[in-house]
Amino acid sequence: MVVEPIMFEPVKPAPTAVDICEQKIRDGILTGHLAQGEFLPSERVLAERFQLNRLTVRSALARLTAAGLLSVRQGSGYRVNDYRLHGSGDLLGHLRSQLTTRRQENEFVQTLLQIRRGLYQAVLEVLLDIDEETRRTVCRQIDDLIDALTDASNCREYAERELHGIREMLCTIDHIPLLLTLNPVLKTLHEETRIWALNYANAKRKADGYRIFKYWLEQKDKDALVPLIGELKRFDVWTLRQLESKQFDGQLKVI
């Protein structure tokens, strides 16, 4: 008996009542329906409107407060903060879900790619000063990543292996501020499924890029830093042009 592969696709857990309550309030803040400086209704009123118990609403409000979207004042209730000032990179994925046109989506991807390039340049500068043992470890990880990507059988698998390999290298470098800053950017770009197909279709060029990266790391060539980032920029520009020119469905079907 042949078991269909679809049976073993990842299963997303169903959102809890707290998750849904948190999302509704967060969406209201990000879309501007809940204005900066505005006070939310009381927990009792929110519970009535959402038809939830107060403990559920309180848990959702606590999450949003921890995320910087709300501030609480004793006797006054929950006040909406300016998420641009108090939010974190964890909001990137939620902001992406608010976009309604393909042009907005492409501009959002463009911004994320620019941020990623800047952070990757910082990573390369750190790599110039790592010890020999760490350097050899990262070089081995690059080889492993190239092999893993070569063996990927579809664009989803390719994207997941690439993200895992990049994170593994970043953990080896052990530069926590860079890793924590890069994480939300990498995660949000990973959720852009249209890029999966483009990367998978250009696996050879990507592999060549990783080989160039490894050679640069082995040679410790400071003068090649700018050309290396330039090559990444050329690939990012090509990606954006493809996103703007190709006819993608609203949600790319991943085989």
Side-chain angles (χ1 to χ4, degrees):
M1 177 181 177
V2 179
V3 181
E4 292 295 329
I6 193 172
M7 293 178 63
F8 300 106
E9 290 184 352
V11 177
K12 294 183 178 180
T16 66
V18 177
D19 295 331
I20 295 172
C21 182
E22 177 189 9
Q23 178 185 336
K24 286 184 175 295
I25 298 174
R26 182 179 56 237
D27 288 350
I29 295 172
L30 297 182
T31 57
H33 290 104
L34 293 173
Q36 171 194 349
E38 179 180 346
F39 281 92
L40 297 183
S42 66
E43 290 180 1
R44 179 183 61 80
V45 172
L46 287 173
E48 291 174 355
R49 292 182 182 178
F50 288 132
Q51 296 185 357
L52 298 169
N53 64 61
R54 290 181 65 174
L55 287 178
T56 298
V57 172
R58 186 174 299 164
S59 296
L61 293 173
R63 289 184 183 180
L64 294 166
T65 302
L69 298 181
L70 298 174
S71 56
V72 60
R73 296 182 181 180
Q74 188 68 30
S76 299
Y78 292 89
R79 181 176 181 270
V80 176
N81 290 333
D82 186 342
Y83 71 85
R84 299 169 301 176
L85 300 178
H86 300 279
S88 68
D90 293 332
L91 290 178
L92 288 174
H94 301 298
L95 287 169
R96 166 66 178 80
S97 67
Q98 301 296 323
L99 304 179
T100 57
T101 68
R102 183 64 72 209
R103 179 175 180 179
Q104 289 176 336
E105 292 172 356
N106 291 341
E107 289 176 348
F108 190 76
V109 169
Q110 180 180 18
T111 300
L112 290 179
L113 291 176
Q114 290 173 335
I115 294 171
R116 186 182 67 174
R117 283 200 307 276
L119 291 172
Y120 275 176
Q121 180 164 344
V123 170
L124 294 177
E125 291 171 355
V126 169
L127 284 169
L128 287 171
D129 296 324
I130 59 177
D131 60 75
E132 285 303 317
E133 182 179 352
T134 303
R135 189 185 310 278
R136 287 192 295 269
T137 300
V138 174
C139 286
R140 287 195 300 270
Q141 289 172 332
I142 296 172
D143 286 334
D144 291 342
L145 176 57
I146 293 172
D147 291 341
L149 295 180
T150 301
D151 293 338
S153 59
N154 56 62
C155 57
R156 180 196 296 275
E157 188 177 12
Y158 185 98
E160 290 175 350
R161 289 184 177 189
E162 183 172 36
L163 180 63
H164 174 76
I166 291 172
R167 283 177 166 170
E168 190 175 53
M169 283 185 275
L170 290 171
C171 287
T172 298
I173 300 168
D174 199 28
H175 196 295
I176 302 302
L178 268 177
L179 182 58
L180 295 181
T181 306
L182 257 169
N183 263 335
V185 176
L186 294 177
K187 179 182 177 182
T188 308
L189 281 172
H190 180 69
E191 293 169 354
E192 184 55 68
T193 56
R194 296 179 299 159
I195 296 180
W196 295 5
L198 292 174
N199 286 342
Y200 186 58
N202 288 272
K204 184 179 183 303
R205 181 177 177 182
K206 294 274 288 186
D208 289 342
Y210 282 117
R211 292 187 183 98
I212 293 171
F213 170 41
K214 180 188 173 184
Y215 178 78
W216 170 85
L217 185 57
E218 290 173 333
Q219 301 301 312
K220 311 176 197 176
D221 188 354
K222 294 183 179 181
D223 294 333
L225 183 61
V226 173
L228 198 60
I229 292 296
E231 177 59 27
L232 178 59
K233 181 177 181 179
R234 280 189 289 274
F235 190 83
D236 287 347
V237 169
W238 176 86
T239 298
L240 288 167
R241 286 176 179 168
Q242 297 303 305
L243 293 178
E244 292 167 354
S245 64
K246 287 185 177 292
Q247 296 299 315
F248 288 101
D249 294 330
Q251 187 71 21
L252 181 68
K253 181 180 180 181
V254 180
I255 300 175

